[in-house]
Amino acid sequence: MPTFLNNTEADPARPSVQTATASSRTAQESVVRSAGIVSLAVFMSRLTGLLREMVMARLFGAGLIQDAFNLGFRIPNLTRDLFAEGALSSAFVPTFTEYLSSRSNKDAERLANLVATALIVVVGTVCAAGMIFAPQLVSTLAPGYATVPGKFELAVSMTRIMFPFLLLVALAAQAMGMLNASNKFGVPATASTFFNIGSVGFGIAIGGWLAPRLNGSQIHISRIDGMAIGVVLGGALQLCWQLPSLYKLGYRFHAAFDWAHPGLRRILRMMPPAILGNAAVLINVAVSTNLASGIADPVRGYDGPVSWLGYAFRFMQLPLGLFGVAIGSATLPSISRSAAAGNMDEFRRTFSKSLGMVFLLTLPSSVGLVVLGRSIIGAIYQGGKFEVYDTQQTASALSCYAIGLAGYAALKVLTPAFYALGDARTPMIVSILSIAINYATAVTLIRMAGFRHAGLALATSAVALFGFVVLFAILRSRLGGVYGRELAAGFAKVAIASAAMGGAVFLASHQMERWLGVSQMARRADLAVSIPLGVVVFYAACRMMGVTDLDMAIQAVLAPVKRRLHRAGS
């Protein structure tokens, strides 16, 4: 294909250029279509995730118990980001995609079995070590917990119960990568929905129904213990949901050991830089948790900051997953195939369109979260043990996280682009540099500017934006351009439309608060008016300025819904 594109003869070149253009367009449409499927599935996942958070907020509020649970869940969850959904996915998907494209299905199946076996051995060992050394992990991540009676011990117990979740989700991440590489996006994207449903369902059943019936026996299970066990069982459900789809594709698991296998060795070579890169994220979160555990809130003391940050960050996962993760998951197999075929023009065009789509969807989301933060948090979490003060503090953190949303989502497309090119070193170096930026920014904002927990969220946004700018500049230079003028023009138009939307929504929300107050029902009424208004203003502004990707984005969102309605009707 590159030979034809470089042909200078007029007549023979013309059909080849048309073919290349058509191929590039097909790749972009495939990414958009796949991203739409993933976005719909991720929306269901994030919706059920919010329901899970609402249950936790109502049952445990934002105090000692919830802080301990958050830390206990965060430790295996961060390790999952480090090994499973981070380094493993980035190294495995490009290699597995190449095997599917250029080798036999039998070779691809053997590679999958080798990786799965290695995961069971290595990650299983990590889980055992994590359970044994849980006190040391908790003490390192949250030394402030030891100052509150019972908090440290509960956090250690939560960590030990939930650590096996790591192995289950690592295998689930491999299954997701295999299905995505086979152009099957719906099932793996909905897997986390089953985790959310399973973790809440099993948690309530064990903690609320089984535990009281065990009173008087030698087994004692508290309500929070039940929710922790539910997390592990939810992880098992997330894996099991994907297994039938793999079975239909012809994959059968057989334990296999061959550390000299070229595909496995390639994955293992790519993983250390990816692990180091993701370790920087782990260190940044550990630093934030460490600093948050030592923040004394003027109203709540040392109970609250960790939970406020946790609720806010998990809510930001909704637009991040809907747009950043969905587009990144759909883009990686496509650009991996382009890189394997040497079709770098298609690579550049697909990457540019994916990044433009990220900006189109995340910039207005970021503005909306900043303007409507209090109403969103109040409408979802407020009630029970989650009070108005908790709403205010969580919304403050959410606004600071939202500032970096576009950068964070763009990294979900940028980083895999380097892995598709066989370069895991560059993202690693940038991630390591981010450690110093995160620490310096966080300490400055907390101790000098007095931002308290919101300063930690703002530091996270600064790191995301730094990573985006640096990686984008490097990739642009390496590829000889990424259609930057089109991308910049689209970004400017979307930014203007988002600003117009933000102004309209701010005025409407402020007026609704004056009329109705700050109760949970008032917050919901505010959202019922402000969100549709914001959508209309943003759409109209984009139309007026001729944003080219708008129709493609609408198609990506509506096409999966139309297909499901058609199937239901027939």
Side-chain angles (χ1 to χ4, degrees):
M1 186 70 71
T3 303
F4 291 134
L5 286 174
N6 291 330
N7 196 325
T8 57
E9 296 180 14
D11 291 338
R14 208 167 280 138
S16 299
V17 171
Q18 291 171 354
T19 302
T21 304
S23 174
S24 179
R25 188 181 301 114
T26 300
Q28 296 159 29
E29 291 172 352
S30 175
V31 169
V32 171
R33 183 168 57 251
S34 301
I37 294 171
V38 176
S39 291
L40 182 62
V42 170
F43 175 74
M44 294 304 300
S45 169
R46 295 301 189 256
L47 184 62
T48 53
L50 285 177
L51 291 174
R52 178 169 64 89
E53 293 301 317
M54 288 174 65
V55 170
M56 295 297 294
R58 292 297 181 93
L59 292 177
F60 306 109
L64 183 153
I65 294 176
Q66 184 63 26
D67 277 359
F69 180 90
N70 282 342
L71 185 66
F73 181 63
R74 182 171 295 173
I75 291 174
N77 207 40
L78 288 175
T79 314
R80 175 199 71 176
D81 293 339
L82 178 63
F83 288 109
E85 295 185 353
L88 173 64
S89 296
S90 300
F92 174 71
V93 172
T95 306
F96 189 71
T97 300
E98 182 181 325
Y99 267 64
L100 285 177
S101 302
S102 59
R103 308 197 185 195
S104 67
N105 288 340
K106 185 177 180 180
D107 290 336
E109 182 180 12
R110 175 159 176 75
L111 176 62
N113 284 331
L114 287 169
V115 172
T117 305
L119 280 177
I120 293 171
V121 173
V122 175
V123 181
T125 302
V126 171
C127 288
M131 296 170 73
I132 293 170
F133 296 105
Q136 289 79 9
L137 289 172
V138 172
S139 179
T140 301
L141 286 173
Y145 279 20
T147 62
V148 181
K151 193 171 186 177
F152 176 84
E153 293 76 12
L154 181 59
V156 170
S157 176
M158 294 293 99
T159 302
R160 284 176 167 158
I161 292 173
M162 288 187 277
F163 225 111
F165 167 73
L166 172 61
L167 176 59
L168 296 167
V169 81
L171 293 171
Q174 186 198 357
M176 178 182 296
M178 294 170 66
L179 291 171
N180 285 346
S182 303
N183 287 323
K184 304 293 182 184
F185 294 94
V187 169
T190 55
S192 55
T193 298
F194 285 86
F195 163 71
N196 291 325
I197 294 172
S199 62
V200 171
F202 287 125
I204 292 176
I206 294 172
W209 179 82
L210 181 61
R213 286 163 175 75
L214 293 176
N215 287 341
S217 68
Q218 294 182 347
I219 302 175
H220 175 72
I221 301 176
S222 67
R223 180 178 288 180
I224 196 65
D225 289 334
M227 299 306 294
I229 295 170
V231 166
V232 178
L233 295 178
L237 188 60
Q238 180 178 0
L239 170 62
C240 293
W241 166 247
Q242 300 179 84
L243 296 182
S245 296
L246 289 175
Y247 188 87
K248 289 180 181 178
L249 290 173
Y251 294 107
R252 306 290 185 271
F253 172 73
H254 304 286
F257 294 91
D258 183 3
W259 298 103
H261 186 277
L264 182 61
R265 291 181 65 181
R266 176 182 170 185
I267 293 171
L268 293 176
R269 281 196 306 269
M270 292 180 67
M271 282 192 69
I275 288 174
L276 289 174
N278 284 285
V281 178
L282 179 68
I283 293 170
N284 287 337
V285 174
V287 168
S288 296
T289 302
N290 187 298
L291 293 172
S293 70
I295 294 175
D297 183 76
V299 175
R300 297 290 174 77
Y302 291 100
D303 291 333
V306 173
S307 293
W308 296 329
L309 288 168
Y311 284 126
F313 188 75
R314 282 191 293 276
F315 188 86
M316 199 188 72
Q317 296 297 311
L318 176 60
L320 179 61
L322 275 175
F323 310 132
V325 174
I327 296 174
S329 298
T331 301
L332 178 57
S334 179
I335 60 177
S336 295
R337 284 189 287 269
S338 299
N343 191 344
M344 298 314 296
D345 187 65
E346 181 179 271
F347 185 105
R348 285 190 292 268
R349 174 59 72 180
T350 302
F351 169 79
S352 178
K353 282 293 182 183
S354 296
L355 199 57
M357 192 72 67
V358 166
F359 292 145
L360 175 63
L361 297 171
T362 56
L363 285 178
S365 299
S366 179
V367 172
L369 290 176
V370 171
V371 175
L372 294 175
R374 289 194 179 189
S375 293
I376 292 170
I377 297 299
I380 294 173
Y381 294 130
Q382 192 171 306
K385 294 187 176 182
F386 198 92
E387 301 173 358
V388 174
Y389 185 75
D390 296 314
T391 295
Q392 295 169 348
Q393 300 306 311
T394 304
S396 174
L398 178 61
S399 296
C400 293
Y401 278 133
I403 293 172
L405 175 60
Y408 212 141
L411 286 173
K412 299 296 182 181
V413 176
L414 265 167
T415 303
F418 281 91
Y419 291 122
L421 295 171
D423 178 12
R425 186 170 174 268
T426 300
M428 174 197 72
I429 294 172
V430 174
S431 294
I432 291 174
L433 288 175
S434 74
I435 296 174
I437 294 174
N438 178 68
Y439 182 78
T441 307
V443 170
T444 300
L445 291 173
I446 293 174
R447 298 177 181 174
M448 298 182 183
F451 274 66
R452 296 200 299 272
H453 71 288
L456 294 173
L458 198 56
T460 301
S461 292
V463 167
L465 294 171
F466 164 79
F468 160 67
V469 170
V470 174
L471 286 178
F472 178 79
I474 293 172
L475 187 64
R476 179 174 174 271
S477 175
R478 184 170 301 177
L479 294 177
V482 288
Y483 298 93
R485 291 182 180 178
E486 293 180 21
L487 200 56
F491 180 91
K493 291 176 182 179
V494 171
I496 293 171
S498 299
M501 179 205 75
V505 168
F506 174 79
L507 293 175
S509 180
H510 182 69
Q511 194 62 42
M512 292 291 291
E513 185 174 320
R514 287 182 58 191
W515 289 343
L516 302 177
V518 295
S519 67
Q520 187 178 48
M521 290 306 298
R523 297 297 193 190
R524 291 174 178 172
D526 179 13
L527 295 180
V529 172
S530 298
I531 291 179
L533 174 64
V535 170
V536 170
V537 172
F538 180 75
Y539 177 83
C542 286
R543 279 294 183 206
M544 288 176 60
M545 290 184 289
V547 175
T548 56
D549 291 334
L550 186 61
D551 290 331
M552 193 177 292
I554 295 172
Q555 178 187 355
V557 173
L558 295 182
V561 178
K562 290 180 179 178
R563 281 196 295 272
R564 280 159 176 75
L565 291 175
H566 177 72
R567 289 173 186 170
S570 58

